Amino acid sequence: MKNLLIQTAKRTDLINAEQLAKFLEENHSGQRLDEALLSCPYFTEDMVLKLFAEALGCEFLSEIRPTSVPVEFVEAVPAAYAQHHFLIGIKTEDGETVEGADAETSDRQTELTVVLSKPLDANALDNVSKMTGLPVRPAISTRATITSVIDVAYEQRTTVIEDVAEELDSQNLDQLVDEVAASDDLLDVVNRPPVIRLVNDILFRALQLRASDIHVHPYEAKIQIRYRIDGILYDTLSLNRNVLPLIISRIKVMAGMDIAERRLPQDGRCSVRLGKREVDLRISTVPTSYGERSVLRLLDKSTALYGLDELGLYGEDLKKFDSLLTHSHGVIFVTGPTGSGKSTTLYACLNRINSAEKNVMTIEDPIEYQLEGISQMQVASKKGVTFANALRHVLRQDPDVIMIGEVRDIETARMAIQSSLTGHLVFSTLHTNDSAGALTRLLDLGLEPYLVSSSLIAVIAQRLVRKVCPECREVAEPADRELSELGIGSSDLSNGGEFFVGRGCERCFQTGYRGRTGVYEVMVLNEEIQNLVYKRETAGTIKKIALNAGMQTLRMDGARKVLAGVTTVSEVLRVTQADVM
């Protein structure tokens, strides 16, 4: 084999033949020849693999389409085996042959091409042939190319949850309790106990559908699995009620909870992998009259954080928002109900101002995403680390910018205000309906008006609206009543703008919507608004003055996005209230 490689190197100039001969002569590591050459510092992986492909008469593939991986391979070969040995099976299209192969053996139904990153790994080749029951032929590609195809191919496999559930029903449930154990990778489902495969498939399908939450809801005669996709809950699967204890036990084991405790609520968290993707799960269980109910929140760590210009802020609002981040001190509140995207907005702000010159610290419950270059602190109420308590310690760390996950009480609110007065830029969140309501809420908590008016620089209210699916959108004509509710008049229509709705397709789960964007109400406190706060004026009065100063309300911003074809009239009406003052 050594002589063949040297002769091939001389013939093709893929590798310096003299350098190769010298290395092969000096190499006494006992490694297999391909492994030794791949670890050799003189040659790149690409060079070595192309040399082997030429010498062995195999095809070298610079890229592989995930769609060329046959279902038989995905079902027969565990993802962990493919990942460990860096191999993937592919099929050729009708009428095509892989270079170097006889036409007689190119029938895609009777032969599988196995792409290897270790050309001489004959054992792996034989094992794949045994697993699939098909004759195999080798091809060669780099580890990076093969790994990327493995992840996509196994993620795209169709999960048949119902089949696993039936298999679970047909087995002795008492025996399966002992099989509830931790599993590493959601792609690795081969030879797993049915309960593990069932829970893994439920998680897997949720990630395929971009769900943010999974609800396991027990009823008298069934278990309903529900996914929250783009803020809306959908019933996706019904299971036999007998498997509830197993599913809940599996979830509890994953989250490190007490599986014997079924009468008290429990919280936990864990991580699962989907190929190379890391997904955090926050898990809660509560006892109900029909058994334990569980909700799993999914946080995909591989999801890129949004930039400030990707949130859905338009023109003037984006400029206002950007200028707020240049302040050296003051408090900025982001308000809205749970699930309105407040944390995403705060992370985008921190990302924008994060620099080597500033010390940025956060206090969160929980830490949802890791931010590079920022110190993040986790609240732990059981250990006495509350928001207020943690803030005292953070202030001793010489911060320039502080982010407080949520202001829940007067102690935290007072400390946030005082922190801004001592020269810190403070970001936090409140649960109020609009921006003006946040000011009166702070006064209701017990803060002195002069503190609020002198420290607060802006309040941003927000909601999330679903975007029209780009794959199936079509022009629609909304009703006059809807347009009047939204505040869109004939003058707006004459300036152009088309209304769109989604017809519903596979890409959007037949909903007509795919993805979400924010609608915003950015209220910057000017001198007049500060005086109104000082006088304890109502939220309605403050809102009128802010509108006169050019503020766009949530519904107005939603109307702009409807006219731009981003979302629908009904969607904006669903998440915003009428502007009554």
Side-chain angles (χ1 to χ4, degrees):
M1 188 66 198
K2 289 182 182 180
N3 291 334
L4 178 59
L5 289 173
I6 294 168
Q7 288 169 14
T8 306
K10 287 177 181 176
R11 176 168 52 83
T12 60
D13 280 338
L14 287 167
I15 281 181
N16 185 305
E18 290 181 16
Q19 207 172 19
L20 175 64
K22 186 179 178 184
F23 174 77
L24 293 175
E25 190 179 329
E26 293 174 354
N27 179 47
H28 302 294
S29 62
Q31 281 182 298
R32 202 173 62 215
L33 193 56
D34 55 346
E35 292 177 337
L37 277 170
L38 286 167
S39 61
C40 170
Y42 309 143
F43 315 120
T44 65
E45 181 189 24
D46 222 43
M47 291 162 61
V48 171
L49 293 177
K50 283 178 180 175
L51 180 72
F52 270 103
E54 192 69 33
L56 297 171
C58 298
E59 185 179 18
F60 177 83
L61 303 173
S62 54
E63 64 174 311
I64 306 168
R65 293 195 308 273
T67 52
S68 66
V69 181
V71 176
E72 298 86 349
F73 180 87
V74 174
E75 289 178 349
V77 180
Y81 188 86
Q83 288 165 337
H84 180 72
H85 290 279
F86 296 100
L87 56 83
I88 191 74
I90 62 169
K91 63 186 177 186
T92 54
E93 299 300 330
D94 282 320
E96 290 183 13
T97 60
V98 175
E99 190 180 322
D102 295 328
E104 292 177 3
T105 59
S106 64
D107 188 337
R108 66 185 182 131
Q109 293 183 336
T110 57
E111 189 169 49
L112 182 73
T113 300
V114 178
V115 189
L116 302 156
S117 65
K118 295 176 183 175
L120 301 181
D121 195 352
N123 285 339
L125 210 59
D126 289 344
N127 287 338
V128 171
S129 181
K130 289 173 185 172
M131 290 177 196
T132 58
L134 296 171
V136 297
R137 147 174 87 233
I140 295 171
S141 189
T142 61
R143 289 170 62 156
T145 303
I146 292 171
T147 301
S148 63
V149 178
I150 289 171
D151 288 351
V152 177
Y154 279 85
E155 281 183 40
Q156 287 178 346
R157 77 175 196 272
T158 54
T159 59
V160 189
I161 299 181
E162 293 83 354
D163 292 351
V164 182
E166 283 178 20
E167 184 184 343
L168 194 57
D169 291 342
S170 66
Q171 296 198 16
N172 186 329
L173 299 184
D174 295 333
Q175 291 176 357
L176 286 170
V177 174
D178 297 329
E179 295 178 347
V180 178
S183 173
D184 296 321
D185 193 337
L186 296 184
L187 297 180
D188 184 13
V189 295
V190 179
N191 298 326
R192 290 286 180 187
V195 63
I196 293 179
R197 283 164 46 211
L198 177 63
V199 174
N200 279 10
D201 278 349
I202 290 170
L203 287 167
F204 179 81
R205 188 180 285 186
L207 290 167
Q208 281 184 318
L209 295 172
R210 303 173 294 104
S212 60
D213 300 84
I214 304 170
H215 291 234
V216 181
H217 194 161
Y219 290 92
E220 186 176 8
K222 65 175 181 178
I223 306 166
Q224 191 69 53
I225 306 296
R226 310 171 85 194
Y227 292 155
R228 188 178 293 280
I229 302 167
D230 290 335
I232 306 293
L233 270 174
Y234 297 96
D235 290 346
T236 55
L237 179 68
S238 291
L239 298 173
N240 190 315
R241 202 189 174 291
N242 293 339
V243 302
L244 179 67
L246 279 178
I247 292 175
I248 297 296
S249 293
R250 167 64 183 152
I251 290 169
K252 284 182 176 179
V253 167
M254 290 171 69
M257 300 179 190
D258 182 359
I259 64 170
E261 180 55 76
R262 293 174 183 154
R263 295 169 297 174
L264 295 175
Q266 293 189 66
D267 292 310
R269 60 187 307 159
C270 66
S271 291
V272 294
R273 283 187 301 108
L274 185 63
K276 296 293 178 185
R277 285 164 64 191
E278 189 82 17
V279 181
D280 271 354
L281 304 178
R282 294 212 315 265
I283 298 170
S284 167
T285 62
V286 294
T288 70
S289 55
Y290 294 122
E292 285 184 284
R293 176 191 169 128
S294 183
V295 175
L296 296 80
R297 166 67 56 89
L298 282 67
L299 299 169
D300 191 343
K301 288 183 175 180
S302 66
T303 305
L305 292 171
Y306 289 95
L308 207 58
D309 53 349
E310 298 173 301
L311 296 176
L313 286 156
Y314 274 179
E316 207 54 43
D317 284 345
L318 182 57
K319 286 180 188 172
K320 279 187 201 172
F321 211 133
D322 218 4
S323 65
L324 294 172
L325 304 184
T326 61
H327 284 63
S328 60
H329 62 277
V331 182
I332 298 172
F333 276 111
V334 181
T335 80
T338 303
S340 60
K342 299 188 296 295
S343 297
T344 302
T345 300
L346 288 178
Y347 280 132
C349 293
L350 296 181
N351 250 0
R352 174 66 69 96
I353 61 177
N354 180 22
S355 67
E357 298 90 36
K358 289 185 177 175
N359 179 19
V360 183
M361 300 192 71
T362 74
I363 305 163
E364 302 175 58
D365 182 24
I367 297 170
E368 292 188 14
Y369 296 100
Q370 298 293 335
L371 296 171
E372 192 176 344
I374 290 177
S375 301
Q376 295 171 269
M377 188 173 177
Q378 169 76 51
V379 168
S381 302
K382 291 179 183 176
K383 298 177 182 176
V385 184
T386 60
F387 278 112
N389 196 8
L391 187 51
R392 286 194 189 91
H393 295 287
V394 163
L395 288 170
R396 295 178 195 141
Q397 295 286 316
D398 185 31
D400 297 296
V401 180
I402 304 167
M403 191 264 270
I404 305 165
E406 187 183 341
V407 168
R408 297 174 181 169
D409 51 51
I410 183 157
E411 188 181 8
T412 310
R414 180 166 276 123
M415 288 205 67
I417 296 286
Q418 289 171 347
S419 301
S420 73
L421 295 173
T422 54
H424 304 93
L425 183 60
V426 180
F427 293 89
S428 192
T429 67
L430 271 174
H431 289 284
T432 61
N433 288 329
D434 58 9
S435 51
L439 300 172
T440 52
R441 171 66 57 84
L442 291 170
L443 299 179
D444 291 342
L445 280 173
L447 285 174
E448 294 78 4
Y450 73 88
L451 281 177
V452 177
S453 63
S454 60
S455 61
L456 213 61
I457 56 176
V459 181
I460 296 99
Q462 73 174 85
R463 299 289 188 278
L464 290 177
V465 291
R466 293 179 292 171
K467 293 194 290 186
V468 178
C469 175
E471 306 290 330
C472 62
R473 76 175 194 162
E474 57 188 19
V475 177
E477 194 65 43
D480 292 338
R481 179 188 56 80
E482 289 182 323
L483 293 178
S484 62
E485 273 190 65
L486 202 54
I488 296 176
S490 54
S491 58
D492 297 309
L493 296 173
S494 62
N495 292 332
E498 280 188 302
F499 299 95
F500 290 95
V501 294
R503 189 175 57 255
C505 62
E506 288 184 9
R507 296 274 292 163
C508 63
F509 198 50
Q510 303 300 332
T511 61
Y513 297 98
R514 184 171 173 81
R516 290 188 287 179
T517 189
V519 290
Y520 292 89
E521 182 177 291
V522 181
M523 184 172 74
V524 180
L525 271 73
N526 57 25
E527 192 174 342
E528 195 173 358
I529 294 174
Q530 287 174 337
N531 287 334
L532 293 175
V533 174
Y534 188 73
K535 293 174 184 175
R536 290 182 179 269
E537 290 288 354
T538 63
T541 306
I542 293 170
K543 192 169 186 176
K544 279 181 189 174
I545 300 300
L547 283 168
N548 293 337
M551 181 185 83
Q552 293 280 314
T553 65
L554 289 166
R555 184 155 281 193
M556 289 174 184
D557 190 39
R560 286 192 293 189
K561 290 181 170 68
V562 168
L563 288 168
V566 174
T567 186
T568 62
V569 175
S570 59
E571 188 64 10
V572 173
L573 294 177
R574 180 179 69 84
V575 301
T576 62
Q577 294 180 334
D579 296 320
V580 179
M581 285 160 281

